[in-house]
Amino acid sequence: MADSLQTVMDYAVAVARKAGEVVQTALAGDRKVMTKSSAVDLVTQTDQKVEKLIIQSVKEKFPTHRFIGEESVAAGEACELTNEPTWIIDPIDGTTNFVHSFPFVAVSIGFSVNKQVEVGVVYSCLEDKMFTARRGRGAFCNGEPLQVSEQTDVHQSIIATEFGSNRDPEVVDKIFCSMKNVLKLPVHGVRSAGTAAINMCLVASGCVEAYYEIGMHVWDIAAGSLIVSEAGGLVLDVDGGQVDLMSRRVLAANNRSIAEKIVKEIVLFRPPRDDALDHKQ
């Protein structure tokens, strides 16, 4: 399995870089924008083109492997994480950023076996930063080792979060209530990169001490979750319990002390699980 995982890692890096080139080229041209679940849940032809490129490329190399892809699921395919070798793909994490040329756009590729992520690759296309991790082998950015922040004082921390695409007033109120609670701890600041994958890589890089969100999807965080843990951090549910990648709730932190303080400030709600959504509607 070890050698086969290295083959998967090498291929994931190569296909992520190829996908990133498509994204970079598209930024210079016309970006036709469409919507999915709401007026702020955006998708472009580039999202669809990149996912098709990744899946077709991987199928040629690994014909028996399964896939969970954001755009495939949006088109009606099942979002089911099994014990089988599975590629979990977000072709453009940060589509809204992409549409507006906001410079944080990532290709995220996770690979799981027995429902456990074994390989994680996040390519920040516009920064040309390739984040990689293999379980038990550490995390890296452009080949350099990553290490989470050593900060233990939440008052001297930066916390990352996102606002999501759900504009239901009750959900929005809970999101802002959580942010207000965190800000008033106080912390040095609250930041938002506009992409879950890059937020998690910022935790792994030691740039921020924690990232939390409710409402993202498994393809947003599968790769990043391994990168954080392999950089010495931890990944939990926002209630402090064990993370479930299908639950659409995550807290990534540099250490348990910071995580426990953030957990106390988050106003909880439960979005529909990824494996329970009816994506055909």
Side-chain angles (χ1 to χ4, degrees):
M1 175 60 77
D3 289 342
S4 64
L5 284 177
Q6 189 58 50
T7 300
V8 166
M9 166 71 86
D10 293 343
Y11 203 78
V13 168
V15 76
R17 191 171 296 280
K18 186 175 180 181
E21 292 172 357
V22 174
V23 173
Q24 291 165 350
T25 299
L27 275 168
D30 181 34
R31 283 154 277 169
K32 183 179 179 182
V33 183
M34 299 161 281
T35 61
K36 293 190 284 190
S37 65
S38 72
V40 296
D41 186 9
L42 307 182
V43 62
T44 70
Q45 291 177 339
T46 306
D47 292 80
Q48 297 164 341
K49 180 179 179 180
V50 169
E51 182 167 310
K52 185 177 180 180
L53 179 154
I54 294 172
I55 291 178
Q56 287 184 343
S57 296
V58 172
K59 280 183 175 179
E60 291 175 5
K61 182 73 173 179
F62 307 98
T64 64
H65 288 184
R66 296 171 61 94
F67 299 89
I68 296 174
E70 178 178 10
E71 304 313 325
S72 301
V73 171
E77 292 191 16
C79 184
E80 183 182 12
L81 185 60
T82 71
N83 290 329
E84 297 301 313
T86 303
W87 295 69
I88 307 170
I89 302 161
D90 192 341
I92 299 182
D93 189 32
T95 297
T96 302
N97 289 357
F98 170 75
V99 168
H100 291 275
S101 298
F102 191 73
F104 300 107
V105 178
V107 177
S108 179
I109 302 174
F111 178 76
S112 73
V113 181
N114 295 323
K115 299 181 182 179
Q116 179 171 268
V117 182
E118 298 288 345
V119 169
V121 172
V122 173
Y123 182 41
S124 183
C125 310
L126 305 186
E127 300 179 287
D128 192 25
K129 290 183 177 180
M130 184 70 73
F131 297 91
T132 60
R134 264 191 64 185
R135 184 167 298 279
R137 303 290 184 91
F140 301 85
C141 178
N142 292 347
E144 296 297 320
L146 294 176
Q147 179 64 45
V148 295
S149 165
E150 296 181 357
Q151 182 60 252
T152 58
D153 185 352
V154 73
H155 307 301
Q156 299 185 49
S157 300
I158 289 181
I159 310 302
T161 190
E162 293 294 336
F163 306 98
S165 59
N166 189 331
R167 296 297 185 264
D168 177 88
E170 183 178 353
V171 171
V172 172
D173 286 346
K174 289 180 178 180
I175 289 170
F176 276 94
C177 187
S178 295
M179 186 186 304
K180 181 179 71 174
N181 292 346
V182 169
L183 197 59
K184 287 170 62 178
L185 278 170
V187 296
H188 274 180
V190 175
R191 299 289 185 266
S192 177
T195 145
I198 290 181
N199 281 325
M200 298 190 89
C201 289
L202 290 172
V203 175
S205 302
C207 301
V208 304
E209 276 64 43
Y211 153 69
Y212 72 90
E213 187 174 357
I214 301 176
M216 74 303 133
H217 296 278
V218 62
W219 46 80
D220 297 312
I221 62 169
S225 66
L226 182 63
I227 293 169
V228 169
S229 60
E230 287 298 314
L234 71 163
V235 182
L236 304 169
D237 187 280
V238 290
D239 66 5
Q242 184 176 353
V243 69
D244 175 353
L245 294 180
M246 306 300 282
S247 72
R248 304 180 64 199
R249 299 164 27 133
V250 73
L251 168 63
N254 64 328
N255 58 54
R256 189 164 293 278
S257 174
I258 297 286
E260 289 175 349
K261 291 178 174 61
I262 298 300
V263 162
K264 293 178 181 178
E265 308 304 330
I266 297 174
V267 179
L268 299 177
F269 62 95
R270 291 192 178 276
R273 291 174 55 88
D274 274 327
D275 49 10
L277 290 171
D278 183 358
H279 294 279
K280 294 183 180 180
Q281 291 184 349

